[in-house]
Every structure is written in C-alpha cells, then in structure tokens.
C-alpha cells in the first residue's frame, strides 16, 4: 500500500497535488511502486490507474474500498460487489435446530439466537468443533484474539476460517476456493489480500469440513492449536473472536451482529450457553462496527483517517447489499453486559432498515475495532 505524502485529503480532492512520484488514489496520495508507475505501465501498453481488486477504476466520488495504483486499461467504474443468492423458499420448512444438533455435543454457544451456533466436543486433547449458520454465507470463522492487536485484537489474530468460494469469476478478493484453512490476520493490513495465503507453518487442523446445504452452512474442525497458537483445551482460557459474513463473497467483511469476542474455558463449558454471558467487558465498552477487510477497505494507513466510522460496512462499495430477507447487517445490537439478551436475526433485519437511513452519513469514513 502506498503511503501518504503529507498533503491533506481536502487539498488532494481539490487539486490532486501528489507530487511527481505519487498518484491520487482513494482520497490520498499513494506512491508509485516497482510494479505500478507511469514508466512500468507504459512499457506494457497500459495506463497507471487507481483500481479496485476487481480492476474497477476509482473516482473521488466513490465510497470506501480496497484501491491501489495498478497498471490497467480498465474503463469500468466501481460497482457494488455481487451478493450471495438468497436461499430457496423451501428452506423455510427445514429445521435449523435439528441441523445444529447441539445436544450431541459436550458444549454449545448460541452466538446469534436461532441463527449462529458454536458447538464442540473434547476429543484426544483437541477441540472437535462445529460452527453452524442458518442460511448461506461467504465465510465463517473462529480465532484466538491477538492481545494488544489492533481492532480489539483482530489484527494479528490466529483464526480457522471456512470459506464458500464457488466461482473464481465471482469477486472474493482474492479467490481461494471453498474449504477450511488456518490464517493469521495481518497486524496492520486488514484486507484479505494481505493474509489470504494462509498459515505457512505446521498445520494444526487434524480434521475439517465445510458444508453448504443450500439452506444451512457449517464448518467443522478438530485442532489443539490455531496457526501455531495453542488452544487451552484442558486448563486455562482462550479469548476467542468469531465472525460470519452472509451478504457477499468478500472475505473478512462483516456486519455488526455476526461478530464478537468471548472468553472460553473449553473443558469446563459443559452444557448450553448464550453468547451474551461470555462477552468480555472491554468489548462492550469499546465496541466495533460492521465493515469490510476482505475486498473491503484496507486499514493499513488508518493514521490518515481520524473520522468516526463505526456504523457501516464498506467492502468495495461502502455497505452491505444483501437482498436476503433475514440479513442485516450494519448496526450493533450486541447486548450490554447487564442486558444478557442474545442478538437475534430479527435484530439484524431491523438494524438494516434503520441503517439504510443513516448510510449516506455513516459512509463518510472508515471504521473501528473488529477489523
């Protein structure tokens, strides 16, 4: 990512005064790179442009996204990312709770009421877990918080992530294929392209699967560690983050209901629990909005953005375009420590209606936390 060169965003918008070795890109001056400069591009009969990860050309009036200087002859302006097709109406007759089958597990947590579950057994000193979602999604994930990391420990977190990536031609930023893998989220560059290669060390996944039934989605995993960080299976506690994105195939992009942080003592959690009972006080105090990092914005240069951006998503176009009737996903309805009410899918739906009225204002900026 290019760095700012000291000129204000207002000046850039007015006169594009970026000097001789930079280009105005995403409301800032980004330096030329070894692979993107007027000379390098001209040698390939290409133009130097500010483009998205879908090779669409940024203009100052465009919203937030993941843009960089690139050699391209694209003439396509930025458009919203494609949404996940809604599930069939016949799914209404399917029993989600039967699919979850929580009574078959040692422990379970209802992360979003009637919507998202984490269940697990302890097998051979490992967590044999399953995350289930009542619908179709782009990704589902669980990970160990990075203490002191940016955005409440999301930056630098070690996660296991199930991805539905059915078509390389459908924007997924970037395409990695459908499946489950271990990842380490980049400590500064939150966009998925910064950490999409996955954990390069010894894999901890002993067993794993990803299933999309067309009505419901699940990820299973068996592991004693995540990307080199141990799960405290028999003693101690892990501070865990979780997330789901159900509107587009953008990885790392999420709303304000389907994400959170919780403390888990794996072997002492027998029975069923509500997410509201497990939220650390700091998360409730700090909070964090719905936003994108997967083909959404890259927060590596957040020092340049001091606005408050806590109430929106911004994958490539600035907000969530899901047309699924049950989907949200922009306003935080996570319970307070004293409330203890597990968020519901209906909360998500009503939040979206409210957010549509606020989005022109909310889309003025970036975001905080769980990035």
């Amino acid at each position: 990512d290019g760095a700012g060169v000291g000129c204000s965003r207002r000046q850039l918008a007015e006169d594009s005064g970026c000097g001789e070795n930079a280009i105005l890109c995403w409301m800032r001056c980004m330096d030329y790179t070894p692979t993107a400069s007027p000379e390098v591009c001209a040698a390939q009969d290409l133009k130097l442009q500010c483009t998205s990860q879908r090779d669409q050309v940024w203009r100052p009036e465009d919203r937030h996204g993941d843009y960089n200087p690139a050699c391209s002859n694209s003439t396509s302006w930025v458009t919203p990312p494609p949404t996940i097709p809604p599930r069939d109406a016949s799914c209404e007759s399917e029993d989600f709770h039967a699919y979850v089958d929580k009574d078959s597990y040692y422990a379970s947590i209802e992360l979003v009421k009637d919507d998202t579950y984490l269940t697990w057994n302890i097998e051979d000193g490992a967590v044999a877990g399953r995350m289930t979602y009542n619908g179709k999604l782009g990704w589902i994930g669980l990970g160990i918080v990075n203490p002191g990391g940016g955005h409440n420990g999301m930056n630098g977190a070690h996660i296991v992530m199930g991805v539905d990536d059915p078509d390389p031609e459908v924007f997924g930023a970037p395409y990695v294929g459908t499946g489950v893998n271990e990842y380490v989220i980049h400590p500064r560059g939150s966009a998925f392209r910064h950490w999409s290669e996955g954990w390069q060390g010894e894999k901890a996944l002993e067993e794993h699967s990803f299933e999309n039934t067309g009505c419901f989605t699940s990820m299973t995993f068996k592991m004693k560690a995540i990307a080199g960080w141990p799960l405290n299976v028999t003693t101690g506690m892990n501070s865990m983050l979780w997330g789901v994105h159900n509107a587009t195939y953008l990885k790392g992009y999420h709303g304000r209901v389907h994400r959170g942080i919780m403390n888990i003592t794996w072997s002492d959690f027998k029975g069923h629990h509500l997410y509201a009972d497990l939220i650390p006080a700091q998360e409730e105090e700090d909070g964090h909005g719905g936003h994108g990092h997967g083909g959404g914005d890259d927060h590596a240069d957040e020092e340049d953005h001091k606005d408050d951006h806590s109430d929106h998503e911004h994958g490539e176009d600035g907000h969530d375009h899901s047309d699924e009737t049950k989907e949200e996903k922009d306003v935080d309805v996570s319970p307070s420590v004293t409330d203890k009410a597990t968020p519901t899918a209906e909360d998500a739906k009503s939040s979206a209606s409210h957010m549509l009225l606020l989005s022109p204002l909310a889309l003025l900026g970036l975001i905080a936390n769980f990035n």
Side-chain angles (χ1 to χ4, degrees), residues 105-316:
Y105 292 86
Y106 173 79
S108 64
I109 301 172
E110 189 175 32
L111 299 170
V112 178
K113 184 173 176 58
D114 301 323
D115 184 90
T116 311
Y117 273 81
L118 169 64
T119 54
W120 72 89
N121 292 317
I122 305 298
E123 299 178 0
D124 306 319
V127 175
R130 184 177 185 232
M131 289 190 73
T132 50
Y133 172 69
N134 189 1
K136 297 164 68 175
L137 51 74
W139 65 266
I140 188 167
L142 180 74
I144 302 173
V145 169
N146 177 29
H151 305 98
N152 271 2
M154 193 219 76
N155 288 103
H158 290 217
I159 68 171
V160 56
M161 183 171 165
V163 173
D164 194 359
D165 222 359
D167 185 347
E169 300 303 317
V170 174
F171 176 53
Y175 174 79
V176 295
T178 297
V180 180
N181 199 4
E182 299 168 67
Y183 297 91
V184 177
I185 298 175
H186 194 279
R188 284 177 54 83
S190 302
F192 184 64
R193 60 187 169 84
H194 291 298
W195 46 279
S196 63
E197 72 282 355
W199 168 243
Q200 298 300 298
E202 182 179 355
K203 300 293 184 182
L205 276 168
E206 299 176 22
E207 300 173 9
H208 59 87
S209 68
F210 184 89
E211 180 181 49
N212 173 5
T213 71
C215 296
F216 313 124
T217 308
S218 67
M219 170 185 72
T220 66
F221 55 90
K222 182 179 179 181
M223 53 203 318
K224 299 175 183 176
I226 302 179
W229 283 5
L231 291 171
N232 298 321
V233 180
T234 57
T235 60
M237 178 190 71
N238 285 118
S239 183
M240 305 294 294
L241 52 80
W242 64 274
V244 172
H245 182 54
N246 51 13
T248 71
Y249 291 109
L250 300 173
K251 286 78 155 184
Y253 181 100
H254 61 81
R256 296 197 59 129
V257 172
H258 288 92
R259 92 289 180 273
I261 298 173
M262 56 191 172
N263 294 325
I264 297 180
T265 51
W266 298 101
S267 60
D268 295 335
F269 253 52
K270 185 175 182 179
H272 181 60
H273 303 266
L274 300 179
Y275 168 62
D277 296 325
L278 314 176
I279 303 173
Q282 179 179 354
E283 187 201 2
E284 288 305 320
E285 293 168 2
D286 294 348
H288 47 272
H291 53 288
H293 333 287
D297 17 268
D298 175 7
H299 297 286
D301 300 316
E302 279 188 348
E303 294 81 1
D304 296 335
H305 299 268
K306 300 300 183 182
D307 306 336
D308 178 15
H309 313 296
S310 60
D311 293 326
H312 62 285
E313 301 191 38
H314 40 263
E316 278 230 334

Side-chain angles (χ1 to χ4, degrees), residues 9 26-27 60-65 253 290-292 297 305 307-321 330 355-367:
R9 289 202 291 166
W26 191 42
M27 296 175 289
E61 60 264 36
D62 289 322
R63 296 162 177 169
H64 287 292
Y253 181 100
H291 53 288
D297 17 268
H305 299 268
D307 306 336
D308 178 15
H309 313 296
S310 60
D311 293 326
H312 62 285
E313 301 191 38
H314 40 263
E316 278 230 334
D317 69 320
H319 59 285
D320 190 331
H321 290 274
D330 299 313
M355 192 58 221
L356 289 175
L357 300 176
L358 298 180
S359 57
L361 175 61
L363 290 169
L364 291 174
L366 224 73
I367 196 114

Side-chain angles (χ1 to χ4, degrees), residues 6-68:
C7 42
S8 72
R9 289 202 291 166
R10 178 176 300 173
Q11 287 175 324
L12 295 180
E14 291 175 353
D15 58 21
S16 302
C18 291
E20 297 181 356
N21 297 304
I23 181 176
L24 177 62
C25 188
W26 191 42
M27 296 175 289
R28 71 183 77 178
C29 292
M30 291 191 181
D31 292 340
Y32 299 157
T33 72
T35 58
S37 71
E39 294 76 18
V40 169
C41 295
Q44 305 171 66
D45 292 323
L46 299 172
K47 297 183 293 185
L48 176 65
Q49 302 195 88
C50 175
T51 63
S52 73
Q53 304 310 300
R54 289 187 290 159
D55 196 29
Q56 294 183 330
V57 180
W58 174 84
R59 296 169 296 174
E61 60 264 36
D62 289 322
R63 296 162 177 169
H64 287 292
D66 189 9
Y67 304 103
N68 297 93

